Amino acid sequence: MVAASPNPIHNEKIEAIELPIIDLSAERSQVRNLIVKACEDYGFFKVINHGVPQDIVAKLEEQSLSFFAKTMAEKQIAGPAIPLGYGCKTIGFNGDMGEVEYLLFNTNPISIAQRSKTISNEPTKFSSAVSGYIEAMKDLACEILDLIGEGLWVPDTSVFSRMIRDVENDSFFRLNHYPHHVNKDCTNNINSSCSSKVGFGAHNDPQILTLLRSNDVGGLQISPRDGLWVPAPADPTAFWVNVGDLLQAMTNGRFVSVRHRALNNSSNSKSRMSMAYFATPPLNACINALPEMVTPEKPRLYKPFTWGEYKNTLYSLRLGDTRLNLFRASTNDELAS
């Protein structure tokens, strides 16, 4: 679901910057303030002491690795991803490519159970692991979104999380597997750009919030500004959180939807696997800047739209494109509001 950038490292600056780490077990007022600052500065942060049981993660990782270890013919039974199901290299419908294979699900337990029949020899066990993990991610996402509401001092602190708790929410979940590869042409080449391939190309997530967990193999990078990429160190005990387009729109640009990518590095001795939960509102949810975020000094940046309208836009573009610009408010829109 992203556009791969050619020559991902050539003429780009890679810089190790200390990214925000937030301990969710700390005092609540401190946590909410740190989260708001991280969303403003980076649109990205790591949470520790998050309360997600390790056995929930371990069960899903075991089931996922078992699937990705199958032969290509066996895995293709679960595809093609249109958009749900198994996909390999081809991402989305507009020519996007990556060194990745993946499983994409919506978060409906019945749908997951049905799809698991083509994925696993033990479909009940697989669907239970996926649904259990998703439920834990939903709870964690809602906790973080409530903390954001408190940190922004909006009257309705559940304004964000309520969309995710809605039974009609359009959230989805993706398992990404970046197979270990060796580029034979680069065996004796010290050029760093030769040792990495684009796993998932540079993109912004369109939803409200993303929770990402990976194994102990690195590859994730964020771009706090054009031309600069910052590695996010692997930590299988923590979750990376990133702001999506919808949260940027609802905060009227106060929070930034972070651009990020995943590189598949041939120097790794094993494959990388990540689990991404995308917290998303119902299709008919109206996305509009909160009144508290709009002032004479900071007029409305985006016109109101529904998630369904925005989602339709995703399928018409390469998803590495900047989509929010298509929903920019004009002066007339602001005067009419």
Side-chain angles (χ1 to χ4, degrees), residues 19 49 102 132 174 199 204 252:
L19 296 168
N49 293 324
Y102 62 93
R174 190 173 62 225
N204 303 75
N252 203 34

Side-chain angles (χ1 to χ4, degrees), residues 214-220 234-236 265 268-273:
S214 71
N215 61 0
D216 56 354
V217 177
L220 178 64
D235 183 349
N265 196 318
N268 293 328
S269 60
K270 67 177 183 178
S271 61
R272 178 174 184 265
M273 194 179 75

Side-chain angles (χ1 to χ4, degrees), residues 40-276:
E40 292 173 335
D41 293 348
Y42 293 99
F44 189 79
F45 55 95
K46 182 167 77 172
V47 293
I48 60 174
N49 293 324
H50 40 72
V52 177
Q54 177 57 32
D55 68 308
I56 288 179
V57 178
K59 286 177 183 177
L60 179 57
E61 187 166 72
E62 179 185 5
Q63 290 294 312
S64 304
L65 289 174
S66 178
F67 170 78
F68 289 120
K70 290 183 175 184
T71 66
M72 180 56 69
E74 291 174 315
K75 289 184 286 192
Q76 286 178 335
I77 296 173
I82 48 174
L84 304 178
Y86 174 73
C88 183
K89 293 184 181 289
T90 300
I91 305 167
F93 306 105
N94 297 301
D96 301 312
M97 300 290 290
E99 292 296 317
V100 64
E101 56 180 345
Y102 62 93
L103 285 168
L104 183 64
F105 305 87
N106 65 29
T107 57
N108 182 291
I110 297 175
S111 173
I112 293 170
Q114 184 65 31
R115 193 162 294 279
S116 295
K117 295 176 182 178
T118 63
I119 293 173
S120 174
N121 299 329
E122 299 178 290
T124 301
K125 192 173 182 180
F126 185 91
S127 64
S128 175
V130 173
S131 293
Y133 184 88
I134 287 173
E135 193 61 31
M137 291 302 97
K138 179 180 177 181
D139 290 344
L140 180 57
C142 288
E143 178 185 355
I144 292 170
L145 289 170
D146 284 341
L147 284 161
I148 287 173
E150 294 174 21
L152 291 175
W153 293 94
V154 295
D156 181 5
T157 57
S158 63
V159 63
F160 305 115
S161 65
R162 187 166 56 249
M163 292 181 169
I164 311 308
R165 293 190 177 102
D166 192 303
V167 294
E168 299 295 328
N169 77 82
D170 193 43
S171 300
F172 60 99
F173 176 65
R174 190 173 62 225
L175 292 165
N176 295 319
H177 182 242
Y178 303 89
H180 169 62
H181 75 274
V182 177
N183 190 335
K184 295 179 180 179
D185 294 334
C186 298
T187 303
N188 298 314
N189 194 325
I190 62 172
N191 184 347
S192 62
S193 67
C194 201
S195 64
S196 295
K197 293 184 178 181
V198 173
F200 247 82
H203 65 287
N204 303 75
D205 287 346
Q207 301 81 17
I208 293 179
L209 202 73
T210 302
L211 298 181
L212 181 72
R213 183 264 175 193
S214 71
N215 61 0
D216 56 354
V217 177
L220 178 64
Q221 297 179 344
I222 70 164
S223 180
R225 65 176 185 270
D226 288 345
L228 174 65
W229 288 94
V230 178
D235 183 349
T237 68
F239 294 95
W240 288 107
V241 182
N242 67 267
V243 170
D245 292 349
L246 300 190
L247 192 52
Q248 177 172 322
M250 293 181 74
T251 59
N252 203 34
R254 180 169 170 179
F255 289 0
V256 57
S257 177
V258 63
R259 199 160 184 78
H260 56 289
R261 69 185 181 190
L263 298 184
N264 194 353
N265 196 318
S266 63
S267 64
N268 293 328
S269 60
K270 67 177 183 178
S271 61
R272 178 174 184 265
M273 194 179 75
S274 67
M275 310 168 176

